[in-house]
Amino acid sequence: MILDNRGLEPPQPMMRTLTALSKLQPGETLTIINDRRPMFLYEQLDELGYKYETVERQDGSYQITITKG
C-alpha cells in the first residue's frame, strides 16, 4: 500500500500514517511519501517496533517504507 502525504500540514501526515499502520498485519509493508523527513514519526515507529527505510526522491520528497514487526 502507498500513502501519499504530500501537500498536507503536520500533524496530518503522521496521523494518516499511524492509522494506516494500525491496519497492517505483522510482516506487511506500508510505503509513505512525505514532503519532509518525518522526524517525530521515526520516534513512534521505534517505540512500536516497526522497521523502516527512508529514501530521498529526486523531487525532494521522502519515501519511507515501513514494515510491521
Side-chain angles (χ1 to χ4, degrees):
M1 177 195 307
I2 297 176
L3 187 61
D4 189 344
N5 291 323
R6 290 176 289 184
L8 300 175
E9 292 296 319
Q12 286 293 344
M14 184 166 163
M15 301 310 296
R16 291 181 74 211
T17 299
L18 291 174
T19 298
L21 287 173
S22 71
K23 299 174 184 175
L24 292 183
Q25 297 299 314
E28 289 185 325
T29 299
L30 171 68
T31 299
I32 63 170
I33 303 170
N34 283 14
D35 291 319
R36 52 187 79 72
R37 191 178 294 269
M39 302 310 293
F40 294 113
L41 176 63
Y42 294 140
E43 294 173 16
Q44 290 288 319
L45 296 175
D46 289 338
E47 287 180 21
L48 295 169
Y50 288 92
K51 295 180 181 180
Y52 52 89
E53 180 180 343
T54 303
V55 176
E56 186 172 1
R57 298 163 43 117
Q58 288 184 349
D59 65 0
S61 64
Y62 292 87
Q63 179 174 312
I64 300 95
T65 303
I66 306 165
T67 304
K68 187 168 187 172

